[in-house]
């Protein structure tokens, strides 16, 4: 079975940092597009960041550029999302996803193009 497990969420004050982890089993994160998404109550799911196989390319939503960094540790088969300068509007449930199957040239931040999803980890940023 291909499983993704997120961790690292929590509650922080605005301006703080968190590092989310997405541990994978059943496949290698090195050869798959991996994405991070978030969904706040009453809002649509938003693509936050994505990393291509072998970390050739990374993609970020405009709302997090310069503050969030996606990376992978192949030895640990884990993808990370380093979140700095957090804002209250970053409050959401964060999910990682794998096995992107979108058309060539299409967005890596489109959630419907991912097949496997984790259960999510909650991030709460207070002002």
């Amino acid at each position: 079975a291909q499983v993704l497990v997120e961790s690292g969420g929590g509650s922080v004050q605005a301006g703080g940092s968190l590092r989310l982890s997405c541990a994978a089993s059943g496949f290698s994160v090195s050869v798959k597009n991996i994405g991070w998404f978030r969904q706040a109550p009453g809002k649509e799911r938003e693509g936050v960041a994505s990393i291509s196989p072998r970390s050739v390319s990374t993609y970020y939503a405009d709302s997090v550029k310069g503050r969030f960094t996606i990376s992978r540790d192949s030895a640990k088969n884990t993808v990370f999302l380093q979140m700095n300068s957090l804002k209250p509007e970053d409050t959401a449930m964060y999910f990682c996803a794998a096995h992107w199957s979108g058309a060539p040239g299409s967005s890596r931040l489109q959630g419907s193009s991912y097949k496997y999803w984790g259960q999510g980890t909650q991030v709460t940023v207070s002002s």
Side-chain angles (χ1 to χ4, degrees):
Q2 307 197 17
V3 178
L4 298 168
V5 179
E6 302 95 336
S7 62
S11 297
V12 296
Q13 290 190 329
S17 298
L18 284 173
R19 188 176 80 155
L20 305 184
S21 299
C22 172
S25 59
F27 70 98
S28 171
V29 298
S30 298
V31 298
K32 299 294 183 183
N33 283 285
I34 308 294
W36 279 99
F37 296 80
R38 65 187 182 187
Q39 188 165 22
K43 294 188 177 181
E44 292 187 355
R45 183 177 60 196
E46 174 188 20
V48 175
S50 178
I51 188 165
S52 68
R54 292 170 287 282
S55 305
V56 171
S57 300
T58 55
Y59 308 88
Y60 296 94
D62 289 342
S63 58
V64 306
K65 279 181 182 177
R67 300 188 299 122
F68 290 11
T69 302
I70 189 171
S71 62
R72 57 160 53 97
D73 184 329
S74 297
K76 295 181 178 179
N77 210 31
T78 298
V79 173
F80 302 99
L81 184 68
Q82 178 67 44
M83 306 186 298
N84 299 328
S85 302
L86 283 162
K87 305 175 180 180
E89 50 263 45
D90 294 318
T91 295
M93 184 71 80
Y94 283 70
F95 303 88
C96 63
H99 288 252
W100 179 83
S101 58
S106 63
S107 175
R108 280 3 182 234
L109 300 181
Q110 181 65 42
S112 59
S113 296
Y114 286 84
K115 183 176 182 180
Y116 298 106
W117 291 80
Q119 293 300 305
T121 186
Q122 177 67 37
V123 172
T124 303
V125 184
S126 58
S127 58

